[in-house]
Amino acid sequence: MMFVLGVVLFALGLLASISWHECGHMWAAQRTGMKVRRYFVGFGPTLWSTRKGETEYGLKAVPLGGFCDIAGMTTHDVMAPEDESRAMFRQKPWKRIVVLVAGPSMNLILGFALIVIMAIGWGLPSLNETLPAKVGSLSCVGTTINNNELASCSGEGPAQQAGLQIGDTVVAANGEKISSTSELSTVLRAGTAPVTLTVERSGSEREVIVTPQKVTVTGTDEQGAPVTKEIGMVGIGYDTGWQNPSVLGAVPAAAGFTGDLMVRTWESLISLPSKISDLWTSVTGGERAADTPVSVVGASVIGGDAADHGVWWFFIFLLASINFFLALFNLVPLLPLDGGHMAIVGYEKVRNTLRGSRGLAAGPPVDYMKLMPITYVVLAIMGGYMALTLTADIVNPIKAF
């Protein structure tokens, strides 16, 4: 039940994010003197609408986004004679740029607001893909793990008995360099033979010998068949680099976190073409890489999983991340994206400036019809990519939990 609720809530969050994006275009257009004829959430048949001033607002039957209809976005737009002077293509370049930038800006604002909420409610996780093996907590070790539930225990665990302390950073195991928590976990879980750990403490290195305790793990595999195995555990909880800012410190902490997340979002955006082969591999029976893109369906399912596991901070983090992606993606200078329209405004401004320097009149607005073949190619590529991603999410979904 919670999974279904999470899927629905996340899908509504995505719909709200896109509608909020269109609100940015609408409000900026209205405030710069342009005419907004319609603002609708969804597509297809109209379910409800109302008119306020010169703008019609409403809901449509297919809740897959929304749109803002600004009069005169191109020279081919049919307009009433009295509205000709308010056509978007006739406005000053700075006004057109403001309207176009306003949509992605709203996604950035919403994403940042969500990060602030996460910082206040749960804290902020580290964005480092590999964390150093720093001891964050020490505990006893139960003898069994059944369906991810560790058996109760008491007393000191092997790590504490060996002399490890909170704040120690393990830099080597049996003489081999350790650079991440996953590397150390692999060594410690391999068995119950004593392991010599080299740890950094207060600026100096020392060695401790820890003997992992045998733990029997029972559960099921992906097909539901019972599985039992034995691993070693020492009772270490790693320092995850999690920040827990105060309410007053949440905004600056969120700002720094958002900056780092934006860099990673940009890196993900420019890596999209290289992910085609990974997506194809996952569709044709190979393993699904965790860093492959997800569709709206895939993201909603992951959001449902987060709700089902009670990990609401991840639910919010994922929705914020998608808003940052939407903002940056829409700035790509290709039609029909906002960035494509900005590129046309920039071209017209530079062209007219050069013409003016030679004593010539400004040139005519760009004819969008001549750009339609390129636009169709872009749409075909985007559609194919989305179809491949959706197929991967259905055939071989990412399991975040």
Side-chain angles (χ1 to χ4, degrees):
M1 179 63 184
M2 187 57 69
F3 170 77
V4 175
L5 176 62
V7 170
V8 172
L9 287 177
F10 199 86
L12 289 175
L14 292 176
L15 178 61
S17 299
I18 298 172
S19 301
W20 181 245
H21 174 105
E22 296 299 327
C23 278
H25 292 313
M26 176 180 67
W27 291 333
Q30 290 171 335
R31 282 159 178 74
T32 52
M34 302 179 200
K35 181 175 182 177
V36 179
R37 295 180 292 207
R38 294 182 300 162
Y39 171 84
F40 273 80
V41 175
F43 297 99
T46 299
L47 299 179
W48 168 87
S49 70
T50 184
R51 180 170 293 277
K52 183 178 180 181
E54 61 187 12
T55 305
E56 181 185 10
Y57 303 86
L59 297 174
K60 289 186 174 288
V62 184
L64 295 176
F67 64 92
C68 168
D69 176 20
I70 303 173
M73 285 198 69
T74 74
T75 56
H76 300 281
D77 193 0
V78 178
M79 299 181 61
E82 63 270 19
D83 293 331
E84 287 287 341
S85 63
R86 300 175 64 192
M88 184 175 179
F89 73 86
R90 294 184 184 276
Q91 306 306 307
K92 293 180 178 180
W94 72 265
K95 290 186 177 182
R96 295 162 67 187
I97 290 294
V98 165
V99 172
L100 293 168
V101 169
S105 296
M106 298 303 278
N107 289 124
L108 293 178
I109 292 171
L110 178 56
F112 180 71
L114 290 171
I115 295 299
V116 172
I117 292 171
M118 189 173 76
I120 295 173
W122 296 272
L124 299 173
S126 172
L127 292 176
N128 293 327
E129 295 180 0
T130 57
L131 293 170
K134 185 176 182 180
V135 179
S137 63
L138 295 165
S139 66
C140 60
V141 176
T143 57
T144 62
I145 297 177
N146 186 16
N147 290 326
N148 295 322
E149 290 290 333
L150 181 65
S152 60
C153 60
S154 61
E156 296 183 343
Q160 198 168 2
Q161 292 170 358
L164 280 171
Q165 298 180 9
I166 294 176
D168 287 347
T169 300
V170 179
V171 296
N174 293 332
E176 297 291 331
K177 182 180 178 181
I178 294 293
S179 59
S180 67
T181 58
S182 60
E183 290 179 353
L184 180 57
S185 293
T186 300
V187 173
L188 296 178
R189 294 190 176 198
T192 56
V195 180
T196 301
L197 301 179
T198 304
V199 302
E200 286 185 352
R201 181 186 301 167
S202 302
S204 61
E205 292 187 358
R206 64 192 68 200
E207 290 187 347
V208 298
I209 300 176
V210 60
T211 302
Q213 178 179 318
K214 183 175 72 174
V215 178
T216 302
V217 182
T218 58
T220 57
D221 60 16
E222 293 183 357
Q223 286 72 42
V227 175
T228 300
K229 62 180 179 179
E230 293 181 347
I231 63 172
M233 293 185 68
V234 299
I236 289 178
Y238 297 115
D239 185 341
T240 60
W242 197 280
Q243 301 179 60
N244 293 103
S246 64
V247 174
L248 293 178
V251 171
F257 183 86
T258 297
D260 293 338
L261 185 56
M262 287 289 289
V263 171
R264 293 178 179 273
T265 303
W266 172 252
E267 292 172 348
S268 298
L269 177 61
I270 61 178
S271 71
L272 283 179
S274 67
K275 300 299 181 183
I276 294 177
S277 61
D278 293 336
L279 286 169
W280 182 253
T281 298
S282 65
V283 169
T284 55
E287 185 177 354
R288 178 75 182 270
D291 62 349
T292 49
V294 294
S295 65
V296 171
V297 173
S300 298
V301 170
I302 294 174
D305 282 336
D308 193 39
H309 286 77
V311 191
W312 288 101
W313 73 263
F314 186 78
F315 182 99
I316 294 176
F317 171 76
L318 183 60
L319 189 57
S321 299
I322 291 176
N323 270 275
F324 293 139
F325 182 85
L326 286 173
L328 293 181
F329 182 71
N330 269 284
L331 293 177
V332 174
L334 292 172
L335 290 174
L337 302 175
D338 294 329
H341 294 284
M342 293 179 206
I344 290 175
V345 176
Y347 163 76
E348 290 181 350
K349 177 63 176 177
V350 172
R351 180 202 61 187
N352 291 339
T353 299
L354 293 176
R355 288 176 63 88
S357 67
R358 302 197 304 270
L360 301 175
V366 168
D367 187 352
Y368 274 73
M369 293 304 295
K370 294 181 179 179
L371 298 175
M372 288 309 294
I374 299 176
T375 304
Y376 290 142
V377 171
V378 173
L379 286 172
I381 293 173
M382 290 171 57
Y385 200 103
M386 291 172 63
L388 179 61
T389 305
L390 176 61
T391 304
D393 287 333
I394 296 173
V395 174
N396 192 358
I398 291 176
K399 293 178 171 45
F401 300 90

